[in-house]
Amino acid sequence: MSAELTGRLLEVMEGDILPLTRAGTEAGNKVFGAAILRKSDLSLVLAATNQETQNPLFHGEISCLNQFWGLPADSRPDPKDCLFLSTHEPCSLCLSAITWSGFDNFYYVFSYFDSRDSFNIPHDLKILEEVFACKDGHYCRENQYWTAHYLLDMVDQGTVEQQSEWRERLEKLKSHYGVMSDNYQKHKDAQDIPLN
Ligand SMILES: [Zn+2]
């Protein structure tokens, strides 16, 4: 299951979130996205991307959760039966939103340090430190609500062949995200986003 899940999360990043985020960044939004999958068969419930040009609270995860809670109740799976995938480690707002939504897990691909150092978005780490006195992003990764999973840790669990394939796909993803991030950074001053 673990290898199947790792491959599937990469596939959702590549095929479902990336195209949405490419369009989103062209419209001036940040590079963050998210998706929800069913635990039972890893099928996609929905994918979404950041929409901060509409509302600074519409982070990738919040956009995803808003769409999820907008699904008709009879076709919306129970959050406990779902996996939550975030392209980047969720900020304090999104950690809380995932918690309030009742998910017992989330998975992320890029860390807070990637967000700060590779994507020039230092706010996740800064807000945790300034507001919550939580240094270096050391929130409780396993707690009574959920467990956080870092994709790179999952990649390390694969066979040598799997690891090499997954790392190659991650490198390609990183380069796509690098281009989208440069695009956002170049045009961000034209947008009315409080913490750009
Ligand atoms: Zn967030």
Side-chain angles (χ1 to χ4, degrees):
M1 175 62 178
S2 177
E4 191 193 345
L5 177 58
T6 306
R8 177 64 180 141
L9 294 179
L10 284 167
E11 192 176 82
V12 170
M13 286 284 289
E14 296 156 346
D16 298 293
I17 303 176
L18 183 65
L20 293 174
T21 299
R22 189 170 280 130
T25 49
E26 277 165 14
N29 296 288
K30 287 195 183 79
V31 295
F32 307 110
I36 295 170
L37 289 78
R38 290 177 190 80
K39 286 180 183 174
S40 56
D41 58 0
L42 303 184
S43 61
L44 185 74
V45 179
L46 60 92
T49 196
N50 180 289
Q51 297 176 301
E52 277 176 292
T53 53
Q54 280 180 46
N55 180 327
L57 305 183
F58 290 172
H59 292 189
E61 298 92 327
I62 303 295
S63 298
C64 189
L65 291 167
N66 281 340
Q67 287 183 44
F68 178 77
W69 291 112
L71 293 172
D74 56 359
S75 65
R76 186 179 59 234
D78 187 323
K80 292 276 179 286
D81 296 327
C82 294
L83 303 173
F84 195 94
L85 169 63
S86 191
T87 58
H88 296 66
E89 192 166 13
C91 75
S92 47
L93 167 69
C94 297
L95 288 176
S96 293
I98 290 166
T99 311
W100 282 99
S101 288
F103 290 86
D104 64 11
N105 68 84
F106 66 84
Y107 294 77
Y108 63 94
V109 180
F110 300 113
S111 71
Y112 286 148
F113 299 96
D114 293 325
S115 295
R116 183 189 66 188
D117 302 334
S118 306
F119 298 99
N120 199 25
I121 308 285
H123 310 302
D124 311 288
L125 283 166
K126 271 172 93 169
I127 292 171
L128 280 173
E129 179 161 351
E130 290 292 321
V131 180
F132 300 96
C134 174
K135 280 210 171 259
D136 299 320
H138 283 153
Y139 59 90
C140 192
R141 302 170 58 83
E142 192 168 356
N143 56 59
Q144 74 171 90
Y145 297 103
W146 40 254
T147 302
H149 306 268
Y150 182 29
L151 192 83
L152 279 193
D153 292 335
M154 296 164 67
V155 165
D156 287 341
Q157 307 299 314
T159 63
V160 174
E161 291 78 17
Q162 284 169 334
Q163 287 196 37
S164 124
E165 184 216 315
W166 292 335
R167 287 186 203 285
E168 200 175 305
R169 290 167 72 182
L170 272 171
E171 282 310 308
K172 275 193 195 144
L173 273 171
K174 254 187 213 167
S175 105
H176 286 304
Y177 273 85
V179 171
M180 296 191 298
S181 172
D182 288 348
N183 197 22
Y184 168 77
Q185 293 291 340
K186 235 183 277 168
H187 299 106
K188 69 179 183 183
D189 291 336
Q191 304 299 337
D192 188 19
I193 299 173
L195 297 186
N196 64 13

